[in-house]
Amino acid sequence: MAFTYRIILLFWTLVSTIPLVIFFFVWQAVFQEKDLIGSYTFGSMISYYVAVRFISQFVNNESITEEIGREIREGLLTNYLLRSISHIVAKLVGVLAFKIISMALAIPLLALLFFWLKEYLIFPKDFSLYGLLAIVMMVSFALNFLIFYCVSLFSFWLIQPRGLLSIINMIFMRILAGVVFPIDLLPNFITNINQFLPFQFLFYFPAKIALGQIARQDILKGLAIELVWIIIFYFLIQYIWRKGLKIYEGVGI
Amino acid sequence: MKALEFKFMYYYFKVYKAFVRNSLVHGFSYRADFWLVFFAEMTFFSLFILFYSVIYANVPTIQGWTFNQSLFLISFFEFFQIVFYLFFHPNIVHIPEHIHKGSMDFILTKPVDSQFWNSLRSLSAVSLFTMIPPLFLLLGTFAKLNVELKVINLLAFVILFISGLLIAYAIELIVTASAFWFIRIDGVHELFLQTFRFMQWPADIYSGFIKMFLTFIIPVIFTVTVPVKAILGTLELKTALGSVMAAALLLALSRYVWKAGLKKYSSASS
């Protein structure tokens, strides 16, 4: 199914790079006025966005909310309940399979970006760092999957959750996770609250590692906190899932 | 001849009135949905203001645009987008579906022009409400601008706003009509929506290839920044003329593409 529309997927991968192009010009205009914004030079700012773009290709699982929401609303969930494999595992396997295609698509995209921006990019040439980054990205992928899975379970209670989901997505996933801009540019009080939330680990934390701006011991500390969040979300999902199934109608039975 | 033309126009006016009435009755029946859309719009807007504040906390102007001018621009962007949604967008998105499911057959048998039907059939009633906050923001941010409002500028603004809307309409229709050739291309209008997002910022920041692309290939550059500049009084006459010309050309092109697409259309059932 996914392979049939390869060309369309490639097209979407390119379209989804448009925000990056916009940010490039915005920051170019801003850095004409001033050389340093926060702790960022123009080069490190552009590198940050490129890193986030690449990381989100692997880490992001946004699309499952729509899919699971539909399964719950239209009663398709029943198919999973009757099988011997749990719903969350089935979804995880599906997402992982899709990631292979999505990463393959990221290669031409990445080549294009590097070609266009090569004079600005500054990534450290330290291969052990990228080894660590790979581990962090896998853990962030797991955390991202659990967060979106948890959010999509709200469909048990809401008939049209799309509006709510897009709000959650905008506030938490885009701003607090650092997709729109690096969160260390935000006012201090927001950054402080953010320390106690899981969202910065999705994109901001891996991107900062890629820029070489996080010390080794802090990377390990971050990983530990991420694992704690994964455990919290795992139990939260168990709880919501049980509650949700009690009111699940199984439309169409 | 004159009388015939008038009758023709009056006929389409009556048809459109029926479309509007129909959409209003239908659109107000989902109230919960409406509040969520409303709230989502507002959240989006606030986050954008946050982004602007982060930038302007560091620099006084971006390419000569002050904070207040940028806020006016983003208010107008929101307003423009909602007006566009009100009239055109919800209709255009359904075109690929009509083509690959073959329901275009029914539309072709109707006694109105098929491009007219596919572009204006329904009015997004929710937009009538979601346009209120951006409208207030537009007026509020205008008050902070300290520009003298001349009649000529206001007139230019209204004309350029309309020509901008027509440009946006024609682009989205042309992009979407590609479904006549590539049957399975649902969501192709996203290409337009994403390109349109370039306009959340003053167009002066773009340069080189991207500027050429936004001016000549997908000319969204005329939609937001150009009318805003008319209000600010910084617009060059040649840009204003360019906008009106682009609108005329694109409308003609959309008509051509639509006709060519219909020739290509092979109904699903027969």
Side-chain angles (χ1 to χ4, degrees):
Chain A
M1 165 70 188
F3 277 108
T4 330
Y5 301 115
R6 265 186 319 232
I7 299 295
I8 293 180
L9 268 176
L10 184 63
F11 171 74
W12 287 129
T13 312
L14 286 174
V15 167
S16 66
T17 308
I18 287 179
L20 183 89
V21 178
I22 298 177
F23 287 137
F24 171 82
F25 282 101
V26 169
W27 287 112
Q28 190 184 45
V30 173
F31 278 97
Q32 267 169 18
E33 311 278 329
K34 214 175 159 195
D35 290 334
L36 206 62
I37 305 286
S39 62
Y40 293 86
T41 60
F42 184 50
S44 61
M45 187 65 89
I46 294 308
S47 308
Y48 177 85
Y49 281 100
V50 171
V52 167
R53 179 67 193 78
F54 180 67
I55 289 162
S56 69
Q57 184 86 7
F58 180 72
V59 168
N60 203 3
N61 293 300
E62 204 177 311
S63 57
I64 63 165
T65 49
E66 187 119 335
E67 195 181 312
I68 298 173
R70 203 181 56 239
E71 284 170 1
I72 294 175
R73 273 196 308 283
E74 295 178 6
L76 300 168
L77 190 67
T78 319
N79 295 339
Y80 290 91
L81 298 177
L82 297 173
R83 285 183 206 164
S84 54
I85 184 170
S86 76
H87 181 250
I88 186 165
V89 174
K91 284 293 139 195
L92 184 63
V93 172
V95 161
L96 280 173
F98 188 73
K99 281 293 167 207
I100 298 170
I101 305 163
S102 146
M103 290 314 281
L105 285 171
I107 293 166
L109 173 77
L110 207 67
L112 207 69
L113 282 178
F114 266 91
F115 180 73
W116 176 42
L117 300 167
K118 59 180 181 294
E119 54 185 305
Y120 308 106
L121 296 180
I122 33 166
F123 289 112
K125 290 179 183 59
D126 173 356
F127 289 101
S128 68
L129 185 75
Y130 296 112
L132 262 178
L133 176 64
I135 298 170
V136 171
M137 274 168 67
M138 278 182 241
V139 179
S140 295
F141 163 79
L143 181 60
N144 181 292
F145 176 78
L146 291 176
I147 291 178
F148 275 112
Y149 188 85
C150 185
V151 168
S152 47
L153 291 184
F154 284 108
S155 301
F156 280 119
W157 290 271
L158 297 164
I159 302 161
Q160 270 301 355
R162 194 176 288 170
L164 182 73
L165 291 182
S166 68
I167 293 167
I168 291 176
N169 201 4
M170 278 189 285
I171 299 181
F172 298 114
M173 305 301 166
R174 303 223 177 268
I175 298 290
L176 295 182
V179 175
V180 182
F181 49 84
I183 49 181
D184 46 1
L185 292 181
L186 281 171
N188 272 336
F189 77 96
I190 301 182
T191 327
N192 288 340
I193 298 171
N194 219 359
Q195 293 296 324
F196 300 96
L197 295 171
F199 306 106
Q200 57 170 321
F201 294 108
L202 302 180
F203 308 112
Y204 174 77
F205 181 62
K208 289 290 255 191
I209 295 175
L211 290 179
Q213 293 182 355
I214 296 186
R216 294 294 155 104
Q217 68 265 31
D218 289 331
I219 297 180
L220 296 177
K221 209 174 94 188
L223 265 177
I225 302 175
E226 260 189 276
L227 289 172
V228 173
W229 277 113
I230 286 179
I231 295 167
I232 293 174
F233 271 98
Y234 178 76
F235 283 108
L236 195 63
I237 285 170
Q238 299 282 321
Y239 176 74
I240 299 178
W241 175 257
R242 272 198 302 270
K243 286 266 173 196
L245 276 192
K246 275 189 193 142
I247 65 156
Y248 174 61
E249 293 172 14
V251 181
I253 300 177
Chain B
M1 198 63 200
K2 267 264 148 54
L4 198 71
E5 239 167 56
F6 177 75
K7 234 174 130 179
F8 183 73
M9 296 270 282
Y10 183 65
Y11 173 66
Y12 273 87
F13 172 72
K14 269 198 332 202
V15 173
Y16 191 63
K17 229 171 72 178
F19 285 172
V20 172
R21 194 171 49 235
N22 201 309
S23 313
L24 293 183
V25 172
H26 183 78
F28 289 121
S29 37
Y30 302 105
R31 249 184 310 180
D33 211 38
F34 151 67
W35 280 112
L36 276 175
V37 171
F38 186 81
F39 195 56
E41 287 284 339
M42 287 303 93
T43 316
F44 177 77
F45 192 80
S46 330
L47 292 180
F48 223 85
I49 293 178
L50 176 72
F51 193 6
Y52 266 117
S53 326
V54 165
I55 286 177
Y56 279 100
N58 288 288
V59 293
T61 58
I62 307 177
Q63 286 287 329
W65 289 71
T66 64
F67 184 51
N68 284 335
Q69 288 173 338
S70 287
L71 280 189
F72 182 67
L73 180 99
I74 184 71
S75 310
F76 181 65
F77 173 88
E78 273 292 301
F79 186 68
F80 183 102
Q81 183 163 302
I82 290 171
V83 174
F84 183 65
Y85 271 58
L86 172 68
F87 292 111
F88 302 116
H89 181 74
N91 300 297
I92 296 176
V93 287
H94 289 302
I95 293 175
E97 198 184 311
H98 289 314
I99 292 171
H100 78 74
K101 285 192 181 156
S103 48
M104 190 65 86
D105 290 9
F106 298 109
I107 301 165
L108 290 174
T109 60
K110 289 185 195 302
V112 285
D113 183 82
S114 61
Q115 188 180 352
F116 175 79
W117 197 97
N118 275 296
S119 311
L120 295 166
R121 170 63 188 82
S122 60
L123 199 77
S124 153
V126 170
S127 303
L128 286 174
F129 284 92
T130 47
M131 74 167 35
I132 296 169
L135 191 61
F136 274 104
L137 280 160
L138 202 61
L139 296 173
T141 46
F142 176 76
K144 285 179 112 183
L145 282 179
N146 281 329
V147 291
E148 184 194 349
L149 190 58
K150 294 193 198 112
V151 179
I152 178 89
N153 287 354
L154 191 66
L155 193 70
F157 170 78
V158 172
I159 292 172
L160 292 170
F161 183 17
I162 295 171
S163 94
L165 277 172
L166 293 175
I167 288 172
Y169 157 74
I171 297 171
E172 200 184 30
L173 188 86
I174 292 167
V175 169
T176 312
S178 65
F180 278 119
W181 287 270
F182 317 100
I183 301 295
R184 295 278 354 201
I185 196 154
D186 299 2
V188 70
H189 63 274
E190 276 290 328
L191 174 65
F192 165 72
L193 290 186
Q194 289 291 329
T195 313
F196 187 54
R197 288 175 59 174
F198 275 99
M199 295 301 110
Q200 285 171 336
W201 300 88
D204 299 331
I205 65 173
Y206 303 114
S207 58
F209 169 72
I210 294 291
K211 183 164 187 174
M212 287 294 150
F213 182 82
L214 297 174
T215 316
F216 296 110
I217 301 177
I218 302 192
V220 285
I221 209 146
F222 295 111
T223 53
V224 178
T225 305
V226 169
V228 166
K229 278 190 167 180
I231 285 280
L232 298 178
T234 54
L235 188 68
E236 290 175 55
L237 183 66
K238 67 169 198 247
T239 319
L241 292 177
S243 170
V244 177
M245 254 167 61
L249 271 174
L250 279 165
L251 279 179
L253 186 63
S254 81
R255 190 67 188 158
Y256 176 76
V257 170
W258 185 260
K259 290 272 185 198
L262 282 183
K263 275 195 191 132
K264 190 83 193 157
Y265 173 66
S266 55
S267 121
S269 48
S270 52

